[in-house]
Structures are given as structure tokens and as C-alpha cells.
Amino acid sequence: MSRLDIRHVSVKRGDRHLVNDISLRISGGTLFGLIGPNGAGKSSLLRAVAQLLPHTGQCHLGAQLLEQASAHWRAKRLGYLAQSGELAWPMAVRDFVGLGRMPHKRSGWWLTRRPGMRDVKACPVPEHDDEAVNLALAQTGLSSLAQRPLNQLSGGEQARVRLARALAVSADVLLADEPCASLDPFHQLSVMELLLSQSRQGKVVVVVLHDLTLASRFCDQLLLLHEGAAVATGEPRQVLTPDNLQRVYQLQAIHGEFRDQPYIVPWQSSHADSTGGHPVNQSINEPINKSGVCLQEEIPVQ
Amino acid sequence: MRLRRDLALNGLLLISLACLMVLSLTIGPLKLSAQDVLGALFHAGPDNLSPADLASIDRGARLHLIVTEIRLPRVLLGIIVGASLAMSGAALQGLLRNPLAEPGLLGVSASASLGAVLCLYFGLASISVWLLPVSAMLSAAVSTLLLALFARRSSSNLTLILAGIGLSSMAAALISLAINLAPTPTDVQDIVLWLMGSIADRSFDDIQLCLPFALAGFALLLSCGHELDALTLGEEEAQSMGVSLVRLRLKVITGTALCVGASVAVAGAIGFIGLVVPHMLRRATGYQPARLLLASALGGAVLLLAADMVLRLVSQGFELMLGVVTALIGAPFFLLLVLRSEAEVTR
């Protein structure tokens, strides 16, 4: 089983630390969430791990130091999904997803044979390209759209196509930067369920999230970042405490459970508090019916 | 299935290219039939014949001379130049992820022209025949490098096109300066005629001059195919797929410079082929940059050959310049493209 070992990773831009000395150990089978306010360094950390940003510190995948691995070695083992990608050409969905198989192509046009191709045998031979693409399409619910050009899809469908492309790599590690950003609630849930099932297959899945409920419900482990530094790390309920949310987001939230699944609803900023808002933090313990907030006792259970 | 469609498309283009070649060889002051042309091509020509002996030889040998020495170089050059321009257009569009990228529009052709004009102006071309193509290629490389730097600094397509306009204006200004300061009217005429772009009256020497560079450029650009495909994902994801952006940029820039430099060196400035051809073939190649490269090269050869043929049919007694004709066709096409993809341009 693969294991991602991040040691003292820092990213500097100018004299400002975007990511400040982060160390993490993520073993396969874990769905790991990166959360934090805008500009906290979530994406930078993810890019540093994917070796797309210059950084200090080391990342190991298994025994291999990623900084020293060839780009081709990494390409087969690290799937990276960027935050937002403009799709340059309206190619067919299937062709686009098929681009994810590029690191596994052994030959093709003789001139495209790149250095580093020789280690193909060292890596467990992936399924047939077509199978991997079909699987990725099926997992993201895009099988019926496979022949459609990308520009005929909605924004949410395009986001799923990009996720399918990353899945088609069939890498040991999947690094996804806000895969739920432009999705409707239904597809947010299905994407998170998909990422969870990917992690349960033994992969390391690291995902940047803004939705605290999705983070607390699906992720096994969370890292809460604030101004590049780690505020808290561990299981969701240890990380997403009212104190931490107040400190990092200046936010008061309603915490609760529904059918044994946690939910967190951000309720108001602490600025509103000083101008006479309700002290929502108390709602964790005592119901506040006067505000009309739907409480856990009142949620209709079918 | 994709392979079959590629074969069909490229085969179709190849067949039309072959037909156009034969057709193009039949046109001229002496009208020939396709049979004449094919016969003449494979006719064993007389050895070491001077033009003075032309009257004394039989019809078959004369046809052979006309077809292989006069018409064939023009046709072959048309193929090389058309393929070079169209393939570099397709590669640049893939690299910059912008359907409006084109060597002419982005100032690469103008810079190559500048290099060649400077060579003509200072009379360097008489020192060695290789100096003109080399200086054309070097200045094409410098301008493509500048463009790539702009493309890197800003992801906006608008910036890039503006930078291209800046580059071409700069090159145009320097060319005007060279014309302005040209010592004799003959020099001016040389430069101006050369700038208009033409493949008339060329010999196998010109082909020898540009073919090695063009072939090197083709190979380099074709080798970028899969990486250009991956670039569709965006720069970061392409990098995560093992694509080295620095190396890809270098390869496309060198390849474009070789292709454009070589064709500008022998044919002058011929615009818009690199814009029009990839655009017409993009849908047929499933919008995949890698598949577009070869198809564009073939399509470019077909289009340039067709344009040259039309031009020869139209111009009786006076010689229309090829660069003028392609610009006359290409510029309205470009405007149409801008109108249709306005959203894409300003994205």
C-alpha cells in the first residue's frame, strides 16, 4: 500500500510563506482533506506535493523521494486535478479523458518516446487504456456523454470530465484541488463518494475542500491551514471545533448530527455578533427556536 | 477507429495533393495534358543539355525539360512552403492554446522577413547562399521566443495577440527603414518584390536551400504532438502528466522558426496559410492538436498549390504575387473567425 510522506514542506513567494513547514503522513486508504480560508495555502501545498511549485522540504511516495523522481515516474503515480482548467479545444469527452492515459503510453510515434520510458515494466501494468477510460467515464456518470464535444457540456459536466481525466491516470495518489467547486449538491455528494471509494481501494486521496460539511462527513483526516501554517490536523471532529472555526474563519457555525453523520452549517461571521446577532455557538448545546433555525430534533426523518 | 479516420483524412488530402500537382504541372504558357505531364516526368531526359539546344531536341525531351526544370520546382516549393506554414500554425495554436495564433499574425513571418531583408540590404546574400535562410530563421526564432515569454507572463490571449501586433509592426517599421535607406531603386524593387511572396521562377537550388531546414522543422513539430495534446488540460495538469513545458516551448519555437524561416527565405512573406488551414481541419481531426499537425501540413500544401494555380490561371501577361493573393483571401477569413469566436478571443 502506498504512503505519502510530506516532511517540512514550505513554499515561499518573495518573503512571504505561502506554505510554512507542513509535515504530514498519509497512508493509502485515507481520504485526506485540506481546508482553510482563501489564501491559506491549500492549493500551494497540493501543487508542491505534485512537484509543480518550487518548494523546500521533501515528499516521499513509498520509498521514492518525489523531488528526485523523473517527471514520467511521477506522472504515472500522481494524478493531479487543477482547481480550474480552461478547456482549450472542444474535443470529444472520451478523447479528453483518454489524455489521462498519456503517462502509460509505451510508444506510438517514434519521436515521442521520452527518457524514462524504460521503467514502464517496474510499475504494475495498468489495465488496458480503453478499460481505464471506460471505468473513469462510468465512475463519473459520463458514459452517455462520451462522444459529445466538451463545449456542449455544462460547467458541472466539464468539471466531472476533468475529474474523470484525473481518474483515468489510475495513479496511486490522487491530488484534487476543489473538485466540488462548480458542482450542484447532488454531484458534490457523488464526487465525494467517488473519492471515498477511490481511497478505499488503497489509494492516497488528498482533496482541497471549502464545504465544511463535506469535509467532516467524508474525510478520514483533515488539515486546517491558516496563512500557510497548520492550525490543526487529525480527525474531522478534532479539527473542526468551534474554537478553530472561530479562529481561522472568524465564523460561528451550527454543528450537528443527522443519522450519525456530522454536519456543519456556517451561520454567521463574528462581525455580525458585535452588531447584535444571535450567539450561534450556543446552538450546539441549546436549541434556539426563536430564530427559526431548523434544529436536529426537528429535521423530518423519513 | 481513430487511426482509420486519420488514415482516411490524410489519404484524402494526399490524393488531392497528387491530383493538384499533376494539374498544376499542366498549366503554363504551353498547355499540356495530364498524359503529357506524366510522360514527361518519367521520360529519361537528355544529359547535359544547354537551353540553346532546346530547339533541336524532340518533343518528349523538350516537355521533360519544361516540366522538370521549370514547373516542378515551383510545385514542389509550393508544397514545402504550404506545409511549413500550416504545420507551424497548427503547432503554435496548440502551444498557445489559441485558434488565432499564426506565424504571420504573431509577427514571426514579419521577423523572418526582416532577417532576410537585412541580408538583402547589406548584400550578405552574395557572400553565401546560406546566410539568407539562416538569418531569416534566427530572427523568426527570436520573435517566437519573445512571444513565448509574453505567453508565459500572461495567460490572456489578448495580450499575446497584441504582442504579436507589436512585433509585426516593429519588423514592418524596420523593413520600411531598410527600403527607405536602400542605395538604388533596384534594391528597393528587389526587397519589395521579395516581400510580396512568390514561388515563381524557382529552381531546384531553392528547394535544396529550404528542404533540409523545413524537414528538420517538420520532424521537431511532429514530435510535439502528444505533449500539445496534453497541454489541452492546462499547463499545470500537463506538467503533472510528465510534460516539460520548457522543453515543449523550446521544441515548438525551434520547429516554427525552422519551418517559417525556411519558407520565408525562399518564398518571401506568405500569410494566413497557418491560420486558415488548421482551422478548416480542426473539426475533422477531433480538435486534437497531435492529429492536426500532419493533416495541416498536407492541407497547407494543397491550399498553397491551389492558390498558386488559380493565380497562374488568372494572371495572363502579368504576374500576381502569391503573398498578395493569400492575404486577400486570408484577411477576410480572419475577420470572420474573430466575429464567430468573439467569446473565445476575449476569454
Side-chain angles (χ1 to χ4, degrees):
Chain A
M1 193 174 283
S2 44
R3 194 175 70 173
L4 190 62
D5 211 344
I6 300 167
R7 288 177 205 161
H8 306 294
V9 165
S10 297
V11 178
K12 274 184 102 171
R13 182 165 296 165
D15 53 357
R16 187 172 152 235
H17 272 100
L18 296 182
V19 175
N20 196 355
D21 194 22
I22 300 290
S23 296
L24 289 172
R25 190 170 286 188
I26 310 170
S27 46
T30 310
L31 179 53
F32 194 96
L34 296 178
I35 52 172
N38 291 331
K42 310 178 293 290
S43 298
S44 299
L45 175 60
L46 205 68
R47 276 184 225 154
V49 173
Q51 309 302 316
L52 298 172
L53 267 190
H55 59 276
T56 56
Q58 297 169 329
C59 304
H60 286 269
L61 177 57
Q64 174 71 44
L65 182 61
L66 285 178
E67 281 81 2
Q68 284 176 357
S70 75
H72 186 248
W73 191 93
R74 287 198 303 260
K76 281 182 299 183
R77 291 163 180 85
L78 290 176
Y80 172 76
L81 179 63
Q83 191 167 353
S84 66
E86 343 77 285
L87 306 167
W89 311 112
M91 48 172 74
V93 169
R94 203 192 155 74
D95 293 331
F96 187 88
V97 175
L99 289 176
R101 299 304 297 169
M102 201 181 115
H104 300 281
K105 291 260 174 7
R106 287 192 80 165
S107 54
W109 184 245
W110 59 280
L111 280 165
T112 58
R113 197 171 300 183
R114 288 175 300 275
M117 276 289 181
R118 270 160 280 121
D119 65 352
V120 162
K121 273 182 192 156
C123 153
V125 181
E127 320 89 288
H128 194 259
D129 284 352
D130 277 347
E131 282 172 35
V133 172
N134 286 340
L135 187 66
L137 285 172
Q139 283 171 336
T140 45
L142 292 165
S143 297
S144 59
L145 301 176
Q147 302 305 327
R148 288 267 211 95
L150 286 175
N151 58 354
Q152 287 181 15
L153 304 184
S154 69
E157 284 166 335
Q158 287 183 358
R160 273 151 62 208
V161 172
R162 294 180 50 244
L163 175 63
R165 196 285 306 166
L167 290 177
V169 181
S170 19
D172 303 335
V173 179
L174 181 60
L175 308 168
D177 201 346
E178 294 191 36
C180 298
S182 53
L183 296 177
D184 59 45
F186 174 85
H187 286 108
Q188 287 185 6
L189 288 177
S190 62
V191 163
M192 288 312 289
E193 276 157 14
L194 177 59
L195 292 177
L196 190 64
S197 79
Q198 289 286 312
S199 74
R200 294 301 177 259
Q201 291 166 22
K203 294 182 182 180
V204 174
V205 182
V206 183
V207 54
V208 173
L209 287 171
H210 272 307
D211 190 309
L212 298 175
T213 299
L214 292 179
S216 62
R217 211 183 130 184
F218 287 97
C219 294
D220 303 307
Q221 302 269 313
L222 288 179
L223 170 65
L224 179 59
L225 283 166
H226 185 46
E227 288 168 359
V231 173
T233 177
E235 288 180 26
R237 58 194 162 79
Q238 298 166 337
V239 173
L240 296 173
T241 59
D243 279 351
N244 280 341
L245 294 185
Q246 171 67 44
R247 195 169 129 211
V248 172
Y249 291 97
Q250 278 95 46
L251 190 77
Q252 298 180 340
I254 299 169
H255 295 245
E257 275 193 9
F258 177 61
R259 291 187 186 167
D260 294 336
Q261 302 269 17
Y263 65 83
I264 299 173
V265 183
W267 194 252
Q268 67 182 182
S269 62
S270 46
H271 307 299
D273 201 25
S274 57
T275 56
H278 301 292
V280 185
N281 253 351
Q282 292 172 7
S283 71
I284 303 159
N285 304 319
E286 65 180 288
I288 39 169
N289 288 321
K290 56 185 176 179
S291 67
V293 178
C294 192
L295 296 165
Q296 56 198 88
E297 289 88 354
E298 293 174 289
I299 293 171
V301 180
Q302 299 112 350
Chain B
M1 139 135 181
R2 179 199 294 182
L3 190 71
R4 208 179 307 157
R5 276 180 57 188
D6 263 2
L7 275 181
L9 178 69
N10 290 331
L12 196 72
L13 286 169
L14 212 59
I15 291 169
S16 32
L17 185 61
C19 295
L20 264 179
M21 259 182 86
V22 173
L23 203 61
S24 182
L25 287 173
T26 61
I27 298 172
L30 182 63
K31 294 270 182 296
L32 300 175
S33 70
Q35 264 176 330
D36 286 338
V37 167
L38 289 176
L41 273 180
F42 299 111
H43 185 279
D47 293 330
N48 302 323
L49 201 77
S50 71
D53 303 330
L54 207 59
S56 63
I57 57 176
D58 67 331
R59 183 168 183 271
R62 201 182 315 160
L63 286 187
H64 175 80
L65 272 182
I66 291 174
V67 168
T68 58
E69 294 297 316
I70 299 171
R71 295 187 185 175
L72 194 59
R74 181 176 191 153
V75 167
L76 290 180
L77 213 60
I79 291 173
I80 297 171
V81 169
S84 295
L85 292 174
M87 198 197 265
S88 33
L92 276 182
Q93 290 171 12
L95 180 71
L96 303 173
R97 303 195 296 145
N98 183 338
L100 294 182
E102 198 249 353
L105 197 72
L106 295 179
V108 181
S109 300
S111 306
S113 301
L114 176 65
V117 163
L118 288 181
C119 228
L120 288 175
Y121 178 77
F122 290 112
L124 294 176
S126 56
I127 299 175
S128 160
V129 283
W130 298 98
L131 270 177
L132 186 83
V134 166
S135 74
M137 265 175 272
L138 276 182
S139 39
V142 169
S143 66
T144 329
L145 201 68
L146 282 174
L147 280 177
L149 286 178
F150 269 107
R152 196 177 171 178
R153 278 175 60 98
S154 153
S155 58
S156 157
N157 289 336
L158 204 61
T159 316
L160 189 74
I161 291 169
L162 291 178
I165 292 171
L167 268 180
S168 7
S169 324
M170 189 69 201
L174 288 172
I175 290 172
S176 301
L177 186 69
I179 295 173
N180 190 196
L181 298 179
T184 65
T186 343
D187 286 343
V188 173
Q189 202 187 4
D190 272 357
I191 295 176
V192 169
L193 274 182
W194 187 86
L195 277 176
M196 284 183 180
S198 167
I199 52 171
D201 306 325
R202 297 298 195 267
S203 70
F204 275 103
D205 290 344
D206 294 296
I207 291 178
Q208 255 177 19
L209 201 65
C210 79
L211 191 61
F213 297 109
L215 283 181
F218 289 159
L220 211 54
L221 291 182
L222 277 175
S223 77
C224 299
H226 287 303
E227 287 153 288
L228 290 178
D229 271 353
L231 209 54
T232 310
L233 304 172
E235 296 198 346
E236 278 196 335
E237 285 187 27
Q239 273 178 297
S240 82
M241 304 282 289
V243 172
S244 157
L245 283 183
V246 177
R247 213 178 56 191
L248 177 63
R249 282 203 189 99
L250 201 67
K251 268 164 51 175
V252 172
I253 285 168
T254 317
T256 307
L258 282 169
C259 280
V260 174
S263 58
V264 164
V266 291
I270 294 174
F272 292 103
I273 295 282
L275 175 79
V276 176
V277 175
H279 184 76
M280 291 197 298
L281 291 169
R282 188 163 281 125
R283 183 187 285 269
T285 51
Y287 296 92
Q288 290 169 326
R291 296 169 62 199
L292 188 60
L293 287 174
L294 186 62
S296 285
L298 292 172
V302 168
L303 191 71
L304 199 77
L305 217 51
D308 185 53
M309 212 170 69
V310 169
L311 168 153
R312 275 189 290 160
L313 283 175
V314 170
S315 55
Q316 306 285 355
F318 57 95
E319 180 76 35
L320 262 177
M321 301 301 270
L322 186 58
V324 179
V325 175
T326 57
L328 279 177
I329 302 169
F333 181 86
F334 172 70
L335 286 177
L336 200 71
L337 199 61
V338 170
L339 277 179
R340 271 179 44 185
S341 63
E342 204 182 356
E344 271 180 302
V345 178
T346 51
R347 185 180 56 196

